[in-house]
Amino acid sequence: QAFDYDNKLFKGSNLKRFKIINKVKLPKKNIDFYIKNFENIFISKLKALGIDHFDYLLIHKSNDLKGKNGQIFLNKILNLKRNKYIKKVGVSIYEPKELLMIYKNFIPDLIQAPLNIFDQRIINSNFYDLIKKNDTKLQIRSIFLQGILLKNINELKKMKVNKKLITKISTFEQLCKKNNISRLEACVSFVKNIKDIKFITIGFNSDIELKQILKSFKSKKKVYLKKSSIVEKKLIDPRKW
């Protein structure tokens, strides 16, 4: 759940039954006011949700840790952790190189990063050792690369997806057919079999999609996908599409 989501989404829900990972980011305007009142805003959010803590709080952008405001913001968050309003603190990243700046500021309990068959930067970089060395847990997201790894090739063409990326997805589709495994099962199998991953974030549009994804986690089918890694950022970073 993102920190600024409308509480109405959770009205009537007993959130105490769940472990909640939340995200927080600095606003574009009135930053000084927001930081000054952050602890009160945070505690009010907990009360509105009917809980007394978040299990994990993720800083949405590592850039929010930069400069004087970033240090004050981080100190406010760590103070909330000391007062048990947060159990663990982490940071969401887009690129492994962000970890250098993060670890200079503090040792996070959790790093959230994109990982899928095409974008394997987080596990192929030297920064992966930095995560393990500091006993930081790894949570991954974008295992379907914002869904395009599962879409029909003709649909991707209509969406005007980069032709080179479509070719890569087509090759991936043929590999899956050859190994008698669906693209969904292949995407899930790839991340599921990386032992250091502690959490996997998934997105879905319906209960049917959720059931299909959960079913794929039970599948024992495998296909070798290590060589499917792509290094071109314009293909694997959705911000550059």
Side-chain angles (χ1 to χ4, degrees), residues 11-207:
K11 188 176 182 180
S13 301
N14 182 8
L15 297 180
K16 291 181 179 179
R17 297 182 299 137
F18 300 95
K19 288 188 175 181
I20 302 177
I21 297 177
N22 211 329
K23 280 186 176 182
V24 64
K25 62 182 177 181
L26 290 178
K28 293 181 179 180
K29 297 180 180 180
N30 303 316
I31 295 176
D32 290 339
F33 176 84
Y34 182 79
I35 292 176
K36 182 179 179 181
N37 294 279
F38 179 70
E39 289 166 308
N40 290 332
I41 294 170
F42 186 92
I43 293 170
S44 295
K45 181 72 172 180
L46 288 175
K47 289 180 179 178
L49 292 171
I51 54 179
D52 56 14
H53 71 274
F54 286 123
D55 291 276
Y56 284 88
L57 184 73
L58 298 182
I59 297 164
H60 190 68
K61 296 179 179 179
S62 63
N63 281 342
D64 284 347
L65 294 174
K66 291 182 177 179
K68 182 180 178 181
N69 279 334
Q71 192 59 56
I72 296 171
F73 185 46
L74 176 60
N75 287 340
K76 294 265 186 179
I77 291 172
L78 295 179
N79 188 53
L80 286 166
K81 180 184 177 183
R82 283 190 289 271
N83 289 311
K84 303 188 184 304
Y85 290 111
I86 305 165
K87 285 191 174 181
K88 305 286 184 180
V89 177
V91 187
S92 177
I93 65 170
Y94 287 97
E95 300 181 60
K97 66 180 183 181
E98 294 176 52
L99 293 171
L100 279 178
M101 184 272 291
I102 292 169
Y103 278 99
K104 284 181 180 178
N105 282 277
F106 81 119
I107 297 177
D109 300 303
L110 179 74
I111 287 293
Q112 185 195 78
L115 175 66
N116 52 68
I117 63 162
F118 289 164
D119 184 359
Q120 300 182 26
R121 290 174 295 173
I122 192 65
I123 59 171
N124 289 339
S125 70
N126 294 330
F127 298 107
Y128 192 37
D129 293 330
L130 185 62
I131 292 174
K132 293 190 287 186
K133 177 184 175 182
N134 286 282
D135 200 29
T136 300
K137 288 183 171 59
L138 179 61
Q139 179 191 37
I140 61 166
R141 65 177 190 274
S142 196
I143 68 172
F144 307 124
L145 194 53
Q146 294 205 345
I148 69 166
L149 288 173
L150 307 180
K151 289 187 181 296
N152 180 279
I153 300 299
N154 289 328
E155 188 177 353
L156 293 174
K157 290 178 180 178
K158 289 179 182 178
M159 293 168 60
K160 297 182 179 180
V161 172
N162 184 295
K163 290 182 180 179
K164 192 171 182 179
L165 184 54
I166 291 177
T167 300
K168 294 284 187 180
I169 294 172
S170 181
T171 300
F172 168 49
E173 183 179 48
Q174 294 305 314
L175 179 63
C176 289
K177 287 180 179 179
K178 183 179 178 181
N179 286 274
N180 192 31
I181 185 173
S182 71
R183 283 190 276 170
L184 173 61
E185 288 174 319
C187 288
V188 169
S189 174
F190 173 71
V191 296
K192 188 177 70 173
N193 288 292
I194 299 172
K195 64 179 182 179
D196 294 305
I197 292 172
K198 300 302 179 183
F199 306 99
I200 299 174
T201 297
I202 57 172
F204 55 92
N205 295 315
S206 66
D207 59 339

